[in-house]
């Protein structure tokens, strides 16, 4: 989407529970027979997330959900196993913490400074694997997660706009309303400049969920204490736990998780996506789009992609200095410690 479109979606509608249910029913009708064949992926809670992501526009929510169902059929994220992405995980550049925040949300820790591969497809595949496992580990009363981003070792050479664009596409289009909060922990000043440049291409609802946090600052400390049990939070984030990422331990944990998910699929606990969608594709229920009204979105996406490429050129030719930081609300934070 373009920044212009994002600006137009800043005002979110507030609907009563009865109005929300009416929107869900309308969207389910637009989706067609596949909704009944995929009760998990097309549950009320799932449809509700897509509706919120599209500000209650049923046609756009329907189109977005159908595109996600097609993506899941082709990409098969539920089939990704630890051995498929084990190399990507070696440095602990992304991993699930073994604790939840105080609201019962799983915590996905990301360390972009520990990037160990140049494969865009491999990096995205590992991100999808992490997202799928975080979702499978959600408590019954929770549907969102927390991202805790550690900037230790990060510098501008780590920026890949190709990966950035694909990451934004996957997360915003196929995992809507899954992010509860993103903590950017101790980012260097140069990242703040980069953040200002890409701000127009991030959905406003997502942008509001991002907090800049710095060590040894009272307000930042308060944020962390309100979110986490400090006895469980790692010391590198200001907590009191000496635990850290250990590859072999984490590998065992993920393989055990893989087995549980596979058993659930084999027992019928998860809907058989491929067979249901293949049947619906044969009847053109996915190919024929009754949810049109999003041609404007595609042109917006192209504009955003083009603008991101301009940002990429600016970074490569003339990396922004800390003086370029705009006075945006998200950047009205105390200066970080210089790395």
């Amino acid at each position: 989407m373009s920044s212009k479109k994002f600006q137009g979606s800043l005002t979110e509608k507030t609907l009563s529970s009865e109005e929300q249910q009416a929107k869900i029913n309308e969207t389910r009708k637009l989706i067609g027979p596949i909704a009944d064949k995929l009760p998990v992926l097309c549950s009320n809670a799932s449809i509700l997330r897509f509706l919120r992501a599209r500000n209650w526009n049923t046609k756009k929510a329907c189109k977005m959900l159908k595109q996600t169902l097609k993506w899941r059929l082709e990409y098969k994220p539920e089939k990704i196993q630890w051995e498929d992405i084990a190399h990507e995980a070696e440095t602990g550049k992304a991993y699930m913490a073994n604790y939840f925040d105080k609201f019962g949300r799983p915590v996905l820790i990301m360390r972009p400074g520990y990037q160990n591969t140049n494969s865009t497809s491999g990096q995205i595949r590992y991100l999808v694997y992490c997202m799928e496992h975080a979702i499978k580990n959600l408590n019954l009363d929770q549907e969102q997660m927390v991202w805790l981003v550690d900037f230790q070792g990060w510098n501008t050479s780590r920026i890949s706009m190709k990966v950035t664009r694909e990451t934004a596409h996957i997360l915003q289009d196929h995992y809507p309303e899954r992010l509860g909060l993103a903590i950017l922990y101790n980012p260097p000043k140069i990242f703040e400049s980069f953040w200002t440049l890409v701000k127009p291409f991030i959905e406003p609802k997502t942008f509001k969920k991002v907090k800049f946090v710095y060590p040894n600052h009272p307000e930042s400390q308060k944020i962390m204490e309100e979110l986490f049990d400090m006895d469980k939070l790692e010391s590198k984030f200001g907590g009191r736990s000496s635990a850290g990422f250990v590859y072999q331990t984490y590998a065992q944990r993920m393989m055990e998780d893989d087995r549980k998910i596979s058993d659930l699929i084999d027992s019928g606990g998860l809907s058989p996506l491929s067979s249901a969608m293949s049947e619906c594709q044969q009847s053109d229920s996915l190919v024929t789009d009754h949810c049109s009204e999003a041609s404007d979105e595609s042109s917006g996406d192209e504009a955003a992609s083009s603008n991101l490429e301009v940002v990429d050129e600016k970074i490569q030719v003339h990396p922004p200095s800390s003086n370029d930081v705009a006075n945006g609300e998200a950047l009205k934070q105390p200066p970080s410690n210089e790395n």
Side-chain angles (χ1 to χ4, degrees):
M1 282 188 181
S2 66
S3 57
K4 181 178 180 180
K5 280 190 172 292
F6 285 158
Q7 293 298 321
S9 63
L10 280 171
T11 303
E12 297 177 30
K13 296 178 182 178
T14 301
L15 275 62
S16 66
S17 57
E18 291 80 8
E19 290 172 324
Q20 290 183 27
Q21 188 59 54
K23 290 285 187 180
I24 291 173
N25 295 341
E26 183 181 346
T27 305
R28 187 180 297 278
K29 184 177 180 180
L30 287 169
I31 294 170
I34 195 172
D36 296 327
K37 296 179 181 294
L38 298 171
V40 175
L41 295 173
C42 296
S43 65
N44 282 359
S46 179
I47 293 174
L48 198 57
R49 285 193 297 273
F50 283 86
L51 281 166
R52 286 173 176 158
R54 288 297 175 259
N55 204 19
W56 305 104
N57 184 308
T58 55
K59 289 186 177 181
K60 290 182 178 180
C62 168
K63 184 177 181 68
M64 184 184 186
L65 179 52
K66 280 196 171 186
Q67 288 174 337
T68 293
L69 295 177
K70 288 181 182 179
W71 171 76
R72 294 191 72 90
L73 174 62
E74 296 169 359
Y75 201 84
K76 297 179 174 60
E78 74 282 355
K79 297 289 187 179
I80 303 174
Q81 297 285 298
W82 174 258
E83 55 266 26
D84 300 325
I85 48 80
H87 173 63
E88 293 285 344
E90 286 178 355
T91 59
K93 62 186 177 186
Y95 63 95
M96 279 179 54
N98 60 358
Y99 54 84
F100 293 79
D101 78 345
K102 289 184 177 180
F103 299 94
R105 297 175 293 194
V107 180
L108 184 56
I109 295 175
M110 297 184 175
R111 304 193 295 176
Y114 286 71
Q115 183 57 259
N116 63 326
T117 70
N118 294 318
S119 170
T120 298
S121 61
Q123 292 172 29
I124 295 300
R125 194 167 178 79
Y126 183 46
L127 171 67
V128 169
Y129 177 85
C130 291
M131 290 294 295
E132 291 289 310
H133 275 259
I135 291 170
K136 295 298 188 300
N137 282 276
L138 286 168
N139 291 323
L140 292 177
D141 60 345
Q142 187 56 260
E143 61 179 11
Q144 294 185 322
M145 65 189 73
V146 173
W147 286 7
L148 187 48
V149 185
D150 178 11
F151 280 88
Q152 181 180 1
W154 184 89
N155 55 55
T156 53
S157 67
R158 302 289 184 178
I159 296 175
S160 168
M161 292 307 297
K162 184 176 181 180
V163 174
T164 300
R165 285 194 298 269
E166 185 63 16
T167 297
H169 163 62
I170 293 292
L171 297 178
Q172 294 183 155
D173 292 347
H174 300 318
Y175 294 98
E177 298 297 302
R178 285 301 191 182
L179 179 64
L181 186 68
I183 299 291
L184 306 187
Y185 194 82
N186 200 27
K189 299 299 291 185
I190 191 66
F191 176 82
E192 295 179 353
S193 301
F194 170 73
W195 181 249
T196 300
L197 288 173
V198 301
K199 173 184 174 181
F201 315 110
I202 299 175
E203 293 184 358
K205 291 176 69 174
T206 301
F207 189 79
K208 291 177 182 178
K209 296 176 181 178
V210 176
K211 290 184 180 293
F212 282 66
V213 171
Y214 302 93
N216 304 318
H217 185 270
E219 188 61 31
S220 291
Q221 182 71 12
K222 182 180 178 182
I223 290 173
M224 300 301 278
E225 290 176 350
E226 289 176 348
L227 281 172
F228 302 107
D229 180 338
M230 301 306 282
D231 288 331
K232 296 179 179 179
L233 184 68
E234 296 97 317
S235 56
K236 63 185 176 185
F237 298 120
R240 291 186 285 271
S241 173
S242 59
F245 178 81
V246 179
Y247 178 76
Q248 292 300 335
T249 303
Y250 189 69
Q252 286 298 122
R253 179 181 156 203
M254 289 297 99
M255 286 188 285
E256 179 61 29
D257 238 18
D258 284 347
R259 284 191 290 271
K260 290 179 182 178
I261 293 173
S262 295
D263 290 344
L264 192 57
I265 293 175
D266 293 340
S267 66
L270 293 178
S271 299
L273 177 67
S274 297
S275 59
M277 289 192 67
S278 295
E279 182 180 338
C280 287
Q281 280 187 316
Q282 290 173 5
S283 64
D284 285 342
S285 63
L286 275 178
V287 178
T288 303
D289 192 1
H290 303 292
C291 312
S292 59
E293 201 180 86
S295 59
D296 57 332
E297 288 187 19
S298 61
S299 61
D301 288 337
E302 292 174 3
S305 178
S306 175
N307 287 332
L308 280 171
E309 289 173 2
V310 172
V311 172
D312 195 15
E313 286 184 15
K314 288 184 178 180
I315 292 171
Q316 293 178 4
V317 176
H318 181 65
S321 68
S322 58
N323 294 328
D324 296 326
V325 179
N327 294 320
E329 180 178 351
L331 296 182
K332 290 180 180 178
Q333 303 286 346
S336 62
N337 294 340
E338 295 295 336
N339 290 339

